[in-house]
Amino acid sequence: MANNEYIARLFDKTLEFALKTKGAVLVIGPKSCGKSTTSRRHAKTIIDLTDKIVSEQQIALAKASPTRFLNQGERPLLIDEWQEISFIWNSIKSEVDNSHSFGQFILTGSVTDKTLVDGKEDKSRHTGTGRIIRKIMRPMSLYESGDSNGTVSLSDLKDGKFEVAASLKTIDDYAYYICRGGWPLAMNQERDVALQQAIDFYESAVSEDIFSLQDLPIRKDEQRARKLLRAYSRAIGGQTADSVIMGDVASSDETFDVKTFNKYILALERLYIVEELEAWNPNLRSKIAIREKPTRHFIDPSIATSALGVGPDGLFKDMNTFGFLFESLAVRDLRIYCDTFGAKIYHYKDKSDREADIVIYFRDGTWALVEVKLGDREEIDEAANNLLKIAADIDVNKTGAPAFLLVITKNMTATRREDGVYEVPLACLKP
């Protein structure tokens, strides 16, 4: 495949359907994940605000005549990096109202579109509910990059359909996938070139992007940003308290106060660099309390390896960290897969430290429990038993029985165990 050939994305169908159901679609997500490339394939007219000269001219036109600005060419009209003219939001809403048609506008943005005034959301701006729908696009999953053979479908598992399958991918392959990430520019490239893409994303984040939000001013301190992302990377896959991460950042001659920490985390969230996994709180038969802290994750695990300064070979020097990053890789992929059929993912952990790395909550109210294990047979067996115990404690009269229990592994065979729990390699999964 030629390096410049478009790789179809699962998001293509998401965007296509969204344009059929709403007047405008706001495509959000991190830089370099493919938002512009994919959105351009669904647009008939393109306004590219990443071009400085074009941007200056278009901003001037938008200020002088929003209506004329929004009526350039055939629709759908794509406004690429639309946050450069975020003041146009209410005008887009009005155009959608006036046209009485779906599929009018596509907006892309690498920074969350929330307009802040004195630290508060701008109440003068219409929410866009009913007219503008937000859809998040993430880096590529293993299925999209061709690294998963897609022989096991999550939708099929939900429907009770399963056939034994196999993957040829090894633990060395997964180490590479974690460090390469799902960045489109990394695909079909030589190994060193592919790995560099995640490093470049990270370098841009700590040297420029975090400090670029005009309504969230952070004093430029590249070394502090690097320390924070390293500390956050060491917290991946856990419900690590803010105070622990702050303590990891601080040194003997430096304090890292709560206010500063919160500003950095907010910037990382608004740039779609951090995407934490919220806790699931089911109805339980027992009185065991649920831990409600989110699990720490980047939107792509390659951000963590770049922050830690490790490559594929380096992961084998710390198998505990490798395991958490493998979990984060699975979280990224399952987020992408579940988006295609409207499901959400969470994590579960109770005060007895029984844990499911991922809970899939389907649109019809059914649910599934997932553990992610990089380890050996003993660790996988323990994970399967753990899922069975958690499922047994959930009040199925209120929540319903689980659609399936799944352990995601690095192994090469997908099977259904005698206890009913599925074992499936990550490189076998698809939506």
Side-chain angles (χ1 to χ4, degrees):
M1 180 183 292
N3 290 339
N4 61 353
E5 185 175 338
Y6 180 73
I7 300 174
R9 306 293 296 272
L10 292 171
F11 191 79
D12 278 303
K13 290 184 178 180
T14 298
L15 179 54
E16 182 179 353
F17 183 73
L19 287 167
K20 292 178 180 179
T21 61
K22 288 293 181 288
V25 183
L26 172 58
V27 181
I28 55 178
K31 289 171 60 175
S32 305
C33 74
K35 298 183 304 299
S36 298
T37 301
T38 294
S39 296
R40 284 169 181 260
R41 297 176 66 84
H42 297 265
K44 293 183 178 178
T45 306
I46 299 168
I47 298 175
D48 184 0
L49 297 181
T50 63
D51 185 307
K52 185 176 181 180
I53 296 176
V54 172
S55 178
E56 291 175 354
Q57 295 171 344
Q58 292 291 346
I59 290 172
L61 176 59
K63 288 179 177 179
S65 178
T67 300
R68 188 177 292 274
F69 172 83
L70 293 172
N71 282 277
Q72 302 179 70
E74 195 175 355
R75 294 178 182 175
L77 169 66
L78 167 63
I79 306 175
D80 198 5
E81 295 299 343
W82 85 277
Q83 69 269 7
E84 299 295 329
I85 53 167
S86 58
F87 58 83
I88 204 74
W89 180 270
N90 282 350
S91 297
I92 293 172
K93 177 258 178 188
S94 296
E95 282 288 324
V96 169
D97 285 345
N98 293 335
S99 69
H100 302 290
S101 299
F102 294 143
Q104 298 298 297
F105 301 101
I106 305 171
L107 317 175
T108 71
S110 299
V111 181
T112 190
D113 62 298
K114 183 181 290 186
T115 302
L116 301 179
V117 178
D118 297 328
K120 297 180 180 179
E121 189 170 356
D122 183 359
K123 301 301 182 183
S124 68
R125 201 175 101 180
H126 191 280
T127 62
T129 301
R131 287 89 166 180
I132 306 172
I133 189 170
R134 293 168 174 81
K135 292 293 180 181
I136 186 167
M137 187 175 184
R138 300 177 178 87
M140 300 175 76
S141 63
L142 293 181
Y143 180 61
E144 292 170 287
S145 63
D147 298 304
S148 170
N149 58 30
T151 49
V152 178
S153 162
L154 292 175
S155 297
D156 284 348
L157 290 181
K158 178 179 181 293
D159 294 335
K161 302 174 184 176
F162 174 77
E163 293 184 5
V164 174
S167 167
L168 297 178
K169 304 304 180 183
T170 68
I171 191 172
D172 294 273
D173 293 314
Y174 288 116
Y176 173 64
Y177 300 149
I178 288 168
C179 296
R180 180 200 65 191
W183 311 105
L185 287 175
M187 304 306 158
N188 307 309
Q189 301 286 354
E190 295 179 0
R191 186 181 178 91
D192 290 347
V193 175
L195 292 170
Q196 186 64 37
Q197 305 313 310
I199 296 169
D200 290 345
F201 178 93
Y202 164 75
E203 290 294 336
S204 176
V206 295
S207 63
E208 297 293 339
D209 299 340
I210 292 172
F211 312 106
S212 67
L213 306 180
Q214 295 182 2
D215 60 344
L216 187 66
I218 299 175
R219 180 176 64 84
K220 188 167 184 178
D221 187 337
E222 185 176 325
Q223 291 308 309
R224 174 174 279 187
R226 291 179 184 277
K227 289 180 181 179
L228 174 60
L229 265 70
R230 280 198 297 271
Y232 193 96
S233 299
R234 288 190 282 267
I236 287 293
Q239 295 81 49
T240 310
D242 292 352
S243 59
V244 174
I245 298 177
M246 284 189 284
D248 197 1
V249 174
S251 61
S252 58
D253 60 349
E254 178 185 26
T255 58
F256 196 61
D257 59 82
V258 173
K259 183 178 179 181
T260 303
F261 175 82
N262 288 338
K263 287 177 71 174
Y264 269 92
I265 294 297
L266 180 56
L268 292 171
E269 290 173 346
R270 290 184 59 192
L271 292 163
Y272 308 105
I273 293 172
V274 159
E275 188 177 22
E276 299 185 336
L277 194 59
E278 296 299 320
W280 186 54
N281 198 340
N283 294 296
L284 298 177
R285 291 193 180 96
S286 65
K287 295 182 179 180
I288 298 174
I290 302 298
R291 296 186 186 274
E292 297 185 349
K293 288 184 178 179
T295 304
R296 308 287 187 174
H297 286 289
F298 288 114
I299 202 163
D300 191 282
S302 65
I303 301 171
T305 57
S306 297
L308 294 170
V310 298
D313 292 337
L315 290 179
F316 289 91
K317 297 177 181 178
D318 184 347
M319 293 303 295
N320 187 53
T321 297
F322 192 172
F324 282 121
L325 290 171
F326 181 64
E327 175 188 330
S328 197
L329 181 69
V331 166
R332 181 203 69 189
D333 279 10
L334 263 63
R335 284 192 202 270
I336 295 168
Y337 300 156
C338 288
D339 274 355
T340 65
F341 45 78
K344 303 292 183 184
I345 72 169
Y346 303 89
H347 86 274
Y348 170 90
K349 189 172 186 179
D350 61 34
K351 291 293 178 66
S352 298
D353 284 337
R354 290 186 305 182
E355 182 175 12
D357 296 324
I358 301 168
V359 179
I360 303 175
Y361 193 80
F362 296 93
R363 184 176 287 175
D364 62 4
T366 56
W367 52 279
L369 299 178
V370 182
E371 279 274 67
V372 184
K373 293 300 174 187
L374 186 68
D376 56 14
R377 170 52 47 195
E378 182 179 354
E379 188 173 335
I380 293 170
D381 289 344
E382 182 180 348
N385 291 332
N386 180 56
L387 291 178
L388 289 165
K389 290 177 181 178
I390 294 173
D393 201 48
I394 293 175
D395 190 345
V396 297
N397 292 320
K398 295 180 179 179
T399 310
F404 58 85
L405 306 177
L406 168 66
V407 181
I408 295 176
T409 75
K410 60 141 181 13
N411 297 342
M412 294 185 176
T413 305
T415 62
R416 187 178 188 274
R417 299 160 51 100
E418 290 185 1
D419 56 17
V421 179
Y422 295 99
E423 292 180 19
V424 180
L426 182 57
C428 279
L429 287 174
K430 71 173 182 179

